[in-house]
Structure formats: C-alpha cells, structure tokens
Amino acid sequence: MQVQENFSLKEYHTFHTSTMARYAAFFSNQEELKELATFQNGNINQIILGGGSNVLFTKDFDGIVLINKIPGIEIIKETEEYVFINAGAGVPWVTFVDYCVQNNFGGVENLSLIPGSTGASPMQNIGAYGVEIKDVFFELEAYHTKDNYLKTFSAAACEFGYRESVFKKKWKGQFVILNVTFRLNKKPLYNISYHALEQELEKQHATSLSIHLISETVKRIRQSKLPDPERIGNAGSFFKNPVISKELLLEAAEKNKIEVPHFPIDECLYKVPAGWLIEQCGWKGYRKGDAGCYQKQALVLVNYENAKGIEIFNLSTDIIDSVYKKFGIWLEREVNILH
Ligand code: FAD
Ligand code: EPU
C-alpha cells in the first residue's frame, strides 16, 4: 500500500477523461483503509472509487482517491431455499454475477454486465431489467472513516429507493462499504417482466427458462444499445428516469400534443423514460467536440476521446434545461458529479 502523487485517473473511471488526482492509493482490507483514512491527519478531501463507472470528474481532484480492491467471494450460510454469499467490496460486480450464474444461484442474472464493484452496488441500489439489488440484498458491513468504527446495515437501514440509498443521502461520503452479503435463491424464480427482456426471449423461441439463458439474453440486449466504456467513455444512464405526478404528465402531453410514454409507480406517480424526453428534444446523436449524447441511447452521455469532464457536465446542464423548457419536467443526474 503506497500513496502515489500526481496520479492519472484516466484508466480508473469509465468516462476516461484526463483527470489527475493529487494523491491516490489502493487498499485491499480494512486495516489498509484505516491507515489511508488518516493520511495527512484526514485533513484532505477523500473519495472512494470502485470501478469508477458512475462518476464524472469536472476537474482534477485535489485530495486523495482511495481505490477499493477488497477481494473474496464466500458462501456463509445455506438453507433449503437460500444461499447467503458474502462478497468483498472490491470484487467486480460482473465477477460476482457470473459466479452466481455458474453455480445456478438465482436473483442477480437480470443484473448481468453492469460495470463497477460489488461494494458500490448498494450505493444507488443498482437496477436493470426488472430487478434491483434490494431484491437480493441481505446486509453489508461498512467502515466510518472519520470516527473509526464498523457498522452493519440491514436492508431497511440502507433505505433503498430507485437509484437511491442512505449512502447517497444521510451518510453521504461517510461510510466505506467493505463487504456485502446477498441472499440468492436455490430454486430460481425468473423475472422476465421487463418488456425488452420478454421480447428478446420471444425472438429466440426459448422453450424453457434458465438463469444462464436470462443472463446471456440481458448481456445481448445491453451490448446492442449501451456503449462499451473501453471504446467510448461513458457512465451508463447519465440521468434518472423522472417520477412525476399525473397532472404533470398530462400537462407535458397537452403542451406538446403528443402522448408521453409512462409506467405507473402507484396510483398517483408515473415514471417517464428520460431517454425518450431527451430524444424528443433533438439531442440523440448530438456531438460537440468529443462530448456527446449517444446515438443508440439518448440517456447515455459519452466521451468520444478527449472531452473534458466539464464539457460533459455542461452538456448535461443544456439537456436538463431543454427538457424542462419543452416538457416542464426536471431531469436529475444519476452520475455522481465530483467538482
Ligand atoms: P464508482 O463509480 O467507483 O463510485 C460510485 C459512487 O459510489 C461514488 O460516489 C463513490 O465514492 C461511491 N463508492 C464506490 N465504492 C464505494 C464503497 N465501497 N463504499 C462507499 N462508497 C463507495 N447502473 C445501474 O444501476 N444499472 C445499470 O443498468 C447500469 N448500467 C451501466 C452501464 C454502463 C456501460 C456503465 C458505464 C454504467 C452503468 N451503471 C448502471 C452505473 C454503474 O455501473 C453502477 O452505478 C455501479 O454500481 C458503480 O460501481 P463503481 O464501483 O464503478 O462505482
Ligand atoms: N427510449 C427512447 N429513446 C432513447 C432511449 C430510450 O425513446 O434514446 C425509450 C425506449 O424506447 C424505451 C424506454 O425509453 O421505451 C426505456 O428504455 P430502456 O429500456 O433502454 O431503459 P432506460 O429507462 O433508458 C433504464 C436504466 C438502465 C437499465 C435499463 C434496463 C435508469 C436511469 N436507467 O434505462 O440503467 O439498464 O433501464 O433496465 O433507470 C444505468 O443506471 O446506468 C442504466 C444503464
């Protein structure tokens, strides 16, 4: 464990902007983290990175970046129905999912191919194709860097919501997640409720479902519309899908004389696909310099090569303004912005 000075973050976040950190270090266990947390007596900005797949740096980082490499996947308990698996926070999420799929443990197959670390998965309650991490989450262990104590968080304590958790709100920037325990099904319960997944399975004339088939199908759908960050820098959906009232939905439709697609959340609230709103405003495929709005998925902002973080951020502001002007709906950024 060594603190490096003037460290290039380009390969440590998936937007791949040329961003420097004043200091950076890797840690593989709690003891190393504890030592690093007191670097310069803790009087310096600190940020934890896993895979860097949900961050945008708008400028160089004047502080220390701590990169999580805590390893390990272990079965800690089994019942007739469930298997409880603990994974180190630095384990790549795709490694964890592939392990579950190979062993026929059900619950995370719909979350195949989401980049990043297992430790960051509860941060925004990652979700895709009808499943969220909260559906398989059991508990996690986290370290409070400032006050030097460990705490176990149950699912209820994590306060999971749509792309939300207590770690983005009340405890923002305070706890480092060290490991996460998941409860997987031994008798798989397939979830193919997401329209695009159901459609793709139909196309394949699949006669019977399996965890493996769902995982492979999800991977195929994702590869067909999301840019590979190793080729085009991005952080997945840049914005959340807005959740709005029926009144606002009707107003937006009336104002534009168009039917606005929506999915009911409950009796009063509707989720609207932000990608559709952005496309309607003419941004899909837009490019200014090397910053752009991806041509196959308008919700994804991209760095074609040498865009600066601030250029991508400014583009996101222009998109928010134009969607608001046309539809009266505010988009909220999903990506964590580091100013
Ligand atoms: P990072 O980007 O490293 O960090 C994200 C935030 O979490 C930062 O604020 C960081 O400080 C904090 N953090 C990271 N690790 C820890 C830790 N151990 N303890 C405390 N805080 C921590 N997300 C979805 O939900 N669904 C998708 O379908 C999806 N698809 C994507 C597709 C692509 C191509 C890309 C690039 C991203 C996608 N994402 C998706 C977003 C991203 O993959 C997830 O948010 C992922 O969980 C981020 O993990 P990470 O390790 O890269 O986090
Ligand atoms: N759409 C458009 N134009 C676009 C993009 C999408 O009209 O350019 C429409 C589609 O036609 C579809 C609807 O929007 O009817 C939804 O599109 P899609 O299924 O691609 O999903 P999404 O809402 O754009 C969300 C998540 C993704 C997740 C997928 C699959 C958010 C913010 N994003 O995207 O998560 O993988 O569903 O479940 O909720 C991420 O968080 O980074 C991410 C990629």
Side-chain angles (χ1 to χ4, degrees), residues 20-23 44-46 59-65 339:
M20 298 298 289
R22 189 152 157 221
Y23 301 104
I44 184 170
N45 289 333
Q46 280 176 15
K59 59 177 188 181
D60 290 345
F61 187 72
D62 186 18
I64 183 162
V65 175
H339 293 294

Side-chain angles (χ1 to χ4, degrees), residues 255-266:
K255 189 172 166 207
N256 292 282
K257 305 276 174 262
I258 193 168
E259 194 171 325
V260 176
H262 56 275
F263 307 94
I265 300 283
D266 57 30

